[in-house]
Amino acid sequence: MCGIVGYIGSQEAQSILLDGLSKLEYRGYDSAGLAIYNGENIGFCKSQGRLADLKQKLETCLLPGNLGIGHTRWATHGKPSDENAHPHTDEQKMFAVVHNGIIENYAELKEELIAKGHVFTSETDTEVIAKLLSDHWDGSLVSTVQKVVQELRGAYALGIISEYEPDKLVAVRLASPLVIGVGKGENMIASDIPAILKYTRDVYLLDDGDMAVLTPDHVQLMRVDGTPIERETIQITWDVKQAEKDGYDHFMLKEINEQPRAIRDTLAGRIKKGRVDLSNELSISKEDLKNFERIHFVACGTAYHAGMIGKYVLEKLVRIPVEVDVASEYRYREPIVNERTLFVAISQSGETADTLAALKEAKRQGARILAITNVVGSSVAREADEVIITWAGPEIAVASTKAYTSQLIAVYLLGIYFAQMLETQSEQQLQTWVEELLQLPDKAASLLQPEQVEKVESYAREMSKHSSLFFIGRGLDYAVALEGSLKLKEISYIHSEAYAAGELKHGTLALIEEDVPVIALSTQKVLAEKTVSNVQEVKARGAYVLGVTNEADAELSKTADELISIPATLDLFAPVLAVIPLQLFAYYACLQRGFDVDKPRNLAKSVTVE
Ligand code: AGP
């Protein structure tokens, strides 16, 4: 997620802004920039790359002044570049804007502004805001900002300065975090608390629809419609390190809890009038789809498990044969690939060497390449013909969580979009899926409530005393069992196996004896009866079973020793919810065993070697 810092006061702004941005580097970014009012006009300095690159540029483009805004960009619209870096401005450079979030209607606004003669220099949605400020200028910065904000749809945190009123710094928040730091003779804005802790611990936390007008000696809070707000500041007691995790003990726990937002952001702007619309991102036509003989999902680790869900979803919805492969195996099985193959690479980082190598081989053999990745401008994204970005924001913990559920959302969107094009499903069925997709963020959030988390934590602390643990499931539950097992192994170092529940009796059942822990997933109505029989098989041999189910499988509650219930949803989407208790289970098992949650031994966040 982008980093925003703003300052107004008696000190030189440049060093304060750079220091604040450095405290936000953990959020991940690919470019940075500053805009500072120097007493006459606004000076800009922007650079692709790291803050160090920006600092180097600043040595030759000094920015004096004590009113300014700064930004570290995590690209969503437009590749990482100097031009796309924030702050953005209007043609006369009378305004400077930094933005965190997504302006869903930026394309239509941009068209209208171009028709009025505005000239754009970047690919970003943010530049539209700067042009709107110039276009709507009415002599007052506050009322102009209020008018512009009324036209924006989407999620945004904004920092705005203007040469017209250089005694003000304006901030607006809608669905992207923004805090106001209250100092003595100086005030600040930031997208996260670490950026301001060095200067003040007194902050206002803005709510959605809030606006703040900062001068050196005063902070005025109001709603975007101008209604004044009276609010007390809060005193931050965290230290900087803890503040980077938003108060969570670990990045992994923070990212597990970010999943409702990540799911919402990945859906944002891709469902219009009750239908999935990827036409802005994909150039695959109905004719192209009809031409595909096969689809290959290729990925590693957790992304591979998302690909397994993809196989199920695409074959069910689109009726095109789908193969799913571990990337490191793909090239060596001499896969049948040609121009009638759609190759789908799934990769959070977009830099995994195995996945990139498989992608290049498929491309060499003529396949159409589609990437599902969390990083705009990543190697996988650049090599692909088509890209679907998961808008999960930077994922810092080595164990992937919010990226995985966002990958599932991307796969569901792709399947429904293709099914719409090929008309392989009834309008009613498609509408049912789309409506339920939109319910998933809230349903995911319900699994993160304290009473739910405490329940999972208690099971994890108990079951993590074992040296080996089994996950079983059928169909989609089997793919989720694989992901749950990987989560547990990679951070708690407990040996674990995930098995297709129907496969146990063909060998692995021999390992089941008194007190062996088994986590059984049963969220698929059509498979519930058979899964319960498999659970009875392991119970009969003494296993201790923790069931994970929704209303699909009431029988499981009579068979399992303990039960975790997930909200009712369509079978197709159950993986998005069922995985959350498994992520939490792995997290608390790791804590119980005292290992490093965010940086497990032997592993890296992005495996850039084959
Ligand atoms: C997931 O928890 C692991 N850290 C790992 O399996 C990861 O999913 C895999 O390395 C693929 O990474 P990518 O999604 O960045 O390509």
Side-chain angles (χ1 to χ4, degrees):
M1 299 301 279
C2 306
I4 289 177
V5 183
Y7 175 83
I8 185 166
S10 53
Q11 300 186 63
E12 281 298 300
Q14 179 175 312
S15 57
I16 294 173
L17 296 175
L18 287 171
D19 174 72
L21 291 178
S22 70
K23 298 290 190 301
L24 301 178
E25 286 195 278
Y26 71 89
R27 299 162 70 89
Y29 65 101
D30 44 55
S31 55
L34 301 182
I36 297 177
Y37 177 72
N38 59 21
E40 285 175 23
N41 49 45
I42 301 174
F44 292 80
C45 188
K46 311 198 287 185
S47 173
Q48 181 180 347
R50 315 304 295 164
L51 276 182
D53 301 311
L54 177 63
K55 285 174 185 168
Q56 193 168 6
K57 256 191 176 179
L58 282 163
E59 281 166 19
T60 53
C61 78
L62 274 176
L63 292 182
N66 47 34
L67 163 65
I69 49 180
H71 188 266
T72 47
R73 179 172 181 251
W74 171 264
T76 53
H77 295 74
K79 64 185 179 304
S81 68
D82 291 6
E83 300 72 28
N84 287 336
H86 300 208
H88 285 286
T89 188
D90 56 300
E91 293 87 339
Q92 292 73 36
K93 296 193 186 312
M94 297 305 286
F95 298 90
V97 185
V98 289
H99 163 224
N100 181 17
I102 297 159
I103 305 300
E104 289 181 17
N105 60 331
Y106 89 96
E108 55 208 76
L109 291 170
K110 187 168 181 174
E111 259 176 55
E112 289 164 15
L113 288 161
I114 289 170
K116 286 184 173 180
H118 287 278
V119 176
F120 284 79
T121 57
S122 82
E123 305 160 282
T124 67
D125 53 347
T126 308
E127 191 182 359
V128 161
I129 301 170
K131 298 306 197 272
L132 282 172
L133 287 166
S134 159
D135 194 70
H136 291 27
W137 173 247
D138 65 3
S140 153
L141 180 56
V142 172
S143 66
T144 302
V145 171
Q146 288 168 341
K147 280 184 193 146
V148 166
V149 164
Q150 301 306 324
E151 297 200 29
L152 304 179
R153 269 204 333 268
Y156 46 85
L158 304 178
I160 299 167
I161 61 173
S162 172
E163 185 181 316
Y164 289 121
E165 296 189 35
D167 61 338
K168 289 185 184 68
L169 167 56
V170 177
V172 184
R173 176 202 156 133
L174 184 68
S176 278
L178 205 56
V179 298
I180 309 293
V182 181
K184 292 182 176 43
E186 60 186 21
N187 292 303
M188 294 181 73
I189 66 171
S191 42
D192 206 352
I193 287 166
I196 57 169
L197 274 187
K198 182 175 170 184
Y199 307 96
T200 178
R201 287 183 175 274
D202 291 324
V203 303
Y204 288 115
L205 299 178
L206 292 190
D207 291 336
D208 285 356
D210 282 356
M211 183 174 171
V213 181
L214 285 68
T215 62
D217 299 310
H218 183 61
V219 175
Q220 186 188 355
L221 296 180
M222 62 188 80
R223 300 293 290 165
V224 286
D225 65 6
T227 314
I229 301 173
E230 289 302 321
R231 189 172 295 160
E232 294 299 314
T233 57
I234 63 167
Q235 171 97 145
I236 299 298
T237 54
W238 296 333
D239 60 36
V240 172
K241 205 75 201 125
Q242 199 176 9
E244 285 175 359
K245 297 167 196 151
D246 246 356
Y248 289 101
D249 290 338
H250 300 95
F251 279 113
M252 184 181 176
L253 188 58
K254 174 171 177 258
E255 288 154 10
I256 288 172
N257 281 277
E258 285 180 330
Q259 290 182 111
R261 179 201 51 74
I263 293 168
R264 192 171 287 114
D265 283 358
T266 302
L267 289 170
R270 292 165 163 166
I271 292 177
K272 293 169 187 160
K273 300 189 179 73
R275 289 172 66 84
V276 171
D277 180 356
L278 301 178
S279 57
N280 283 340
E281 302 160 87
L282 301 183
S283 59
I284 294 174
S285 67
K286 183 174 182 176
E287 288 62 43
D288 293 334
L289 264 183
K290 285 184 163 177
N291 179 47
F292 292 140
E293 281 174 336
R294 69 185 69 80
I295 297 173
H296 288 174
F297 276 97
V298 179
C300 301
T302 287
Y304 167 72
H305 298 147
M308 288 181 70
I309 304 284
K311 169 181 171 60
Y312 186 94
V313 170
L314 268 293
E315 285 192 338
K316 177 183 175 67
L317 271 60
V318 189
R319 308 312 292 161
I320 295 176
V322 179
E323 295 171 47
V324 57
D325 281 85
V326 166
S328 53
E329 294 291 310
Y330 182 72
R331 280 186 292 159
Y332 307 108
R333 70 171 180 80
E334 294 182 20
I336 297 165
V337 180
N338 57 31
E339 67 290 341
R340 304 195 65 182
T341 305
L342 174 62
F343 178 100
V344 182
I346 304 179
S347 176
Q348 187 285 130
S349 63
E351 300 302 339
T352 299
D354 289 325
T355 306
L356 203 50
L359 180 158
K360 287 177 178 174
E361 178 56 20
K363 190 171 184 176
R364 189 183 63 78
Q365 295 188 39
R368 185 81 167 263
I369 309 296
L370 188 155
I372 296 176
T373 183
N374 199 38
V375 182
V376 173
S378 60
S379 303
V380 163
R382 287 200 307 274
E383 285 290 337
D385 304 308
E386 317 283 342
V387 181
I388 296 180
I389 295 294
T390 52
W391 285 334
E395 190 175 68
I396 311 296
V398 165
S400 183
T401 51
K402 63 177 183 174
Y404 171 74
T405 42
S406 302
Q407 287 159 0
L408 298 190
I409 296 299
V411 157
Y412 293 134
L413 288 167
L414 189 67
I416 295 170
Y417 183 60
F418 283 177
Q420 285 169 184
M421 275 209 269
L422 291 179
E423 298 173 319
T424 45
Q425 302 294 330
S426 72
E427 275 306 313
Q428 195 202 335
Q429 176 61 75
L430 290 167
Q431 198 161 6
T432 302
W433 281 325
V434 169
E435 284 165 5
E436 182 60 19
L437 263 186
L438 293 168
Q439 304 306 314
L440 292 179
D442 289 343
K443 292 187 175 180
S446 71
L447 288 164
L448 297 165
Q449 297 311 308
E451 64 279 3
Q452 286 279 1
V453 175
E454 283 155 19
K455 196 173 171 189
V456 176
E457 179 179 3
S458 65
Y459 296 140
R461 292 194 184 279
E462 194 49 43
M463 295 172 79
S464 60
K465 294 169 184 161
H466 292 268
S467 56
S468 187
L469 215 141
F470 287 81
F471 290 75
I472 64 173
R474 286 173 174 258
L476 286 170
D477 286 333
Y478 172 46
V480 177
L482 284 164
E483 176 54 15
S485 173
L486 174 62
K487 287 280 102 38
L488 184 68
K489 282 181 282 195
E490 68 178 326
I491 62 171
S492 74
Y493 316 148
I494 295 172
H495 174 261
S496 161
E497 275 194 68
Y499 244 78
E503 191 58 8
L504 276 166
K505 54 189 176 295
H506 300 286
T508 309
L509 200 57
L511 292 176
I512 305 296
E513 56 186 358
E514 194 57 32
D515 210 22
V516 165
V518 175
I519 295 180
L521 292 107
S522 180
T523 66
Q524 305 295 303
K525 295 180 192 62
V526 291
L527 296 168
E529 203 175 310
K530 290 200 181 327
T531 303
V532 165
S533 311
N534 300 137
V535 172
Q536 285 159 350
E537 282 164 16
V538 297
K539 283 290 294 168
R541 278 116 184 131
Y544 174 84
V545 178
L546 169 60
V548 178
T549 187
N550 45 24
E551 94 290 359
D553 195 345
E555 277 309 299
L556 186 62
S557 57
K558 297 174 196 153
T559 314
D561 296 286
E562 299 291 351
L563 199 69
I564 294 172
S565 291
I566 64 171
T569 182
L570 299 175
D571 284 8
L572 197 64
F573 302 144
V576 174
L577 303 179
V579 76
I580 293 175
L582 305 188
Q583 295 166 343
L584 290 166
F585 185 93
Y587 174 78
Y588 287 108
C590 175
L591 288 193
Q592 179 66 26
R593 294 167 74 97
F595 297 124
D596 184 339
V597 171
D598 290 332
K599 296 189 180 67
R601 67 188 181 198
N602 311 339
L603 301 179
K605 182 57 186 171
S606 177
V607 184
T608 53
V609 292
E610 284 196 60

